[in-house]
Amino acid sequence: MQGGRGPRGFVDVEAGRMRGSPAVHMAEESVRRAFVQKVYSLVAVQLVATAILATPIATAGEQWLQENSGLLLISTMAFLILAVSMGCCSHLLRLHPWNLLILACFTALEAISVGFYCAMYEMQSVLWCLAATGAVAGALTAVAFSGKVDVTGMGSYLRATSLALFVIGLGGLWFGAPLMQLAYAAGSVVLFAG
């Protein structure tokens, strides 16, 4: 990592040797590819950590969930405090290792919430959701590491897809059509896993 360069010769922003705000979409292709690989690696670690932390809560008995329901409240309040702190101290999100510490806190707090919410549903539906999200995230990670497609300039597609998903969600609320709910669920998995 000499001179802020990574193992393949790309500049690592977290090494602290770049000045200003880096624009990923304007960087060299190798820098963009390394950035996307790093992001998808972090997403994979977050999904695994969430599954590991949420599973004991999700499989706990009703009595334990009721006795420890305060944990969900504490987790939610801590998450809100973290979110406000990120808004007030956004510069920490760009400083290594603070950004990783904040991400770890976010993941742990969300995992607690995910565990409690998963406990409210049948285990079979939770496993289907886990499998769908894991499959999409795994496929996107494989594409990020082996593919030649550069997705860093697709922000407008992300916004359009988010808007379409919002409209489908509103339609599902108004009409209650099972096909719209299925389209909303599938669109959510694809959009938020990728």
Side-chain angles (χ1 to χ4, degrees):
M1 292 276 243
Q2 183 132 356
R5 300 235 173 237
R8 292 183 216 134
F10 61 85
V11 176
D12 190 356
V13 176
E14 292 179 11
R17 292 183 175 73
M18 286 186 70
R19 299 284 185 243
S21 178
V24 173
H25 68 280
M26 296 174 63
E28 296 176 19
E29 182 179 349
S30 62
V31 174
R32 289 193 310 264
R33 184 169 310 284
F35 174 77
V36 170
Q37 289 174 352
K38 184 184 286 188
V39 167
Y40 278 106
S41 297
L42 286 172
V43 168
V45 169
Q46 279 185 282
L47 286 174
V48 170
T50 299
I52 289 170
L53 294 173
T55 298
I57 298 171
T59 57
E62 286 292 321
Q63 183 178 353
W64 187 91
L65 292 171
Q66 288 177 353
E67 290 173 357
N68 296 291
S69 61
L71 182 60
L72 177 61
L73 180 64
I74 291 169
S75 170
T76 303
M77 292 310 209
F79 175 74
L80 289 174
I81 291 169
L82 181 65
V84 169
S85 300
M86 287 189 302
C88 295
C89 305
S90 61
H91 67 281
L92 290 177
L93 299 174
R94 292 178 191 87
L95 294 177
H96 182 75
W98 283 105
N99 54 359
L100 295 177
L101 181 64
I102 292 168
L103 186 62
C105 290
F106 170 82
T107 303
L109 294 171
E110 284 299 304
I112 293 169
S113 298
V114 166
F116 273 95
Y117 292 129
C118 286
M120 296 179 201
Y121 294 93
E122 294 179 17
M123 189 55 66
Q124 183 180 3
S125 63
V126 170
L127 291 175
W128 274 110
C129 292
L130 175 66
T133 304
V136 170
L140 291 172
T141 302
V143 168
F145 275 90
S146 63
K148 298 291 182 193
V149 179
D150 185 10
V151 296
T152 55
M154 295 188 172
S156 59
Y157 296 109
L158 177 64
R159 286 188 289 279
T161 307
S162 297
L163 180 61
L165 190 60
F166 176 73
V167 171
I168 290 172
L170 287 179
L173 285 174
W174 285 329
F175 303 117
L179 188 58
M180 289 186 90
Q181 292 173 352
L182 180 64
Y184 185 76
S188 296
V189 166
V190 171
L191 180 65
F192 294 114

